[in-house]
Amino acid sequence: MDAQGRGRADDVDPADQWVLNPRTGEYELRLSPSAPESSVPGPRTAGPRASGRRTTAPGREVPPQRRRRAEPEAPAPGRRGRRPEKKKSRGKRALLWTGGSMAFVVLVAGVGGYVYLKHLEGNVSTTDVGTAGSSSFKKDEAFNILIIGTDKRTGEGNEGYGDKGSAGHADTNILLHVAEDRSNATALSIPRDLIVDIPDCETTLEDGTKKVIPGTSGVRFNQSLGDLGRDAGCTMRTVAETTGIKPDHFMMADFNAVKTLTTAVDGVDVCVEKAVDDPKSHLQLPAGESTVEGEQALAFVRTRHAFGNEGDLDRIKVQQQFLGSLMRKMSSSDTLTSPTKLVKLAEAATKALTVDKAIGKVGTLKDIALELKKVPTKNITFTTVPVLDNPAEKVKATVVVNEAKGPQVFDMIKNDISFTEVEQKKKKEKAAVAARLKGEKSEPGEVRVRVMNGGAPAGSAQQELAYLQTQAGVSKSENAGNAPAEVAKTTLEYAPDQADQARALAEILGLSGAAMKPGESVTNAQGLPTMTLTLGKDFKGAGVKLDGSVKKPDLDTESTADQKLCAS
């Protein structure tokens, strides 16, 4: 990892650099045992002044701070004064920021001020992925982060893992989708042995010049990183090519991240159905629950021979269980109220990370983590790309996308549809259905509607019109061309006196109550009032039901972050 910007924090335990000021109730940075305490930010302290700046250590200055109200003078010697009032919610003050994530959706938290945040920023390495991702992070939108764990060997004790001399392949891959309303999230694992087509990808070299690396077809997904100099931007493009889902950003870490992060939180709880003794990974665990950290935690997520059929798909299941436990530990009160753990966690997470330049600022990582924190763990779904054994192989070593299930999973993520029943959404949807779908329905021949294309593939309005007229009996329908703007969801706008027609059309098309928009009608060429059906990006084809309560396919692997499971 890039060591620039780490400075003196490498020489002293970061947790020892922060002390509680009993007068303010805030944690302050102590630069060295012999130097005066620096409050960053904090009140002024007496000491040398020069040009309006105060010196905290030789050669180091801290910008002057805003003028604070004068405080009462200390009582004279021998006189007892009132004790300073204790600050409430000291734990909340310690949680000055919450940020980070490594290859596994990590919520980290730390304490400090501007100087310390800049120090953390120096820990993070960045990669310019160009147009493969988004140019910035937006809090008010759904977002996709590709989390990559590489098999690159760094640090001591990792000789038994990964390929010797490897530049780092895409060994563990999770596409994390966070819903726009933050009510749910989906963590989709992508097998490293999935056969894919890697597209041409532009990469930025160390000297700033750009180079296009030619694509290749029918290769393992893990080759999208490392081979021929491919960077994480190539992996992002491969995900978009394979799933149709464009990652906005990426976060990447190697083997050491698992060791440092689990050590920072004093271990992660895991469970195995049977005792494990794997001579290849050196993992030894008794049956039942255990706590693993450091080298043992890495062995747990890397072993392929202790569980299931000793393949990568079984290892993915174990990793998903491990990540759920790690997330619970990160967000536990035991972690979030411990300044020492928070500082260690912030250091470990930022040193572990390589991210795209758009989110390379610690402030942006903090924003991402705060958005992740809004999602209840019970509504974070872990699942895997549905796959089948590669039919082109006699000896089964790779897999291909299951075309009967995969596209539906990808569409649910693209259309921001939860894999769990989100209570708030469910209640709102039920209320909308009860209010708009119940009541009398017109005969199809009495329904008058115009069809517009608001984001569906070209020609969709005409195709849907043909279906309505020839198969559904909606003869009073017409093509109104393209809508003024694109929309994500198909909608039906109607006037109050057209509610019976709207209910009839909703039944034919499979529209949910939320898709029905009471409003105004328009007048057609004959001067008659007409409803407006706008086909959105969720349109799947003429005659295909558009029910918002999509039924997900039966998945081979699925769990949520709040579940405590035992590996088998």
Side-chain angles (χ1 to χ4, degrees), residues 37-107:
E37 291 183 10
S38 166
S39 51
V40 190
R44 288 181 180 270
T45 57
R49 300 171 186 257
S51 303
R53 306 177 70 89
R54 61 189 173 87
T55 303
T56 60
R60 184 180 181 97
E61 291 185 337
V62 177
Q65 298 179 338
R66 296 179 181 176
R67 186 177 300 277
R68 299 173 66 98
R69 292 182 180 178
E71 298 185 5
E73 294 183 3
R79 294 178 58 188
R80 296 183 62 184
R82 295 179 62 188
R83 288 186 179 182
E85 182 181 353
K86 289 186 177 180
K87 296 284 185 176
K88 296 182 180 180
S89 303
R90 186 175 293 171
K92 291 183 179 179
R93 288 185 175 275
L95 305 183
L96 190 56
W97 67 277
T98 303
S101 175
M102 65 100 180
F104 318 123
V105 192
V106 176
L107 243 87

Side-chain angles (χ1 to χ4, degrees), residues 25 28 33 89 112 160 194 257 268 311-312 394 399 452 471-472 545-546 560:
E28 300 175 355
S89 303
L194 179 68
V268 172
D312 191 52
K394 290 184 178 180
V399 293
M452 304 186 76
Q471 298 185 50
K545 295 285 187 180
L546 285 164
T560 53

Side-chain angles (χ1 to χ4, degrees), residues 300-311:
F300 183 82
V301 297
R302 289 294 306 154
T303 181
R304 295 183 61 172
H305 306 284
F307 309 113
N309 296 322
E310 301 187 8

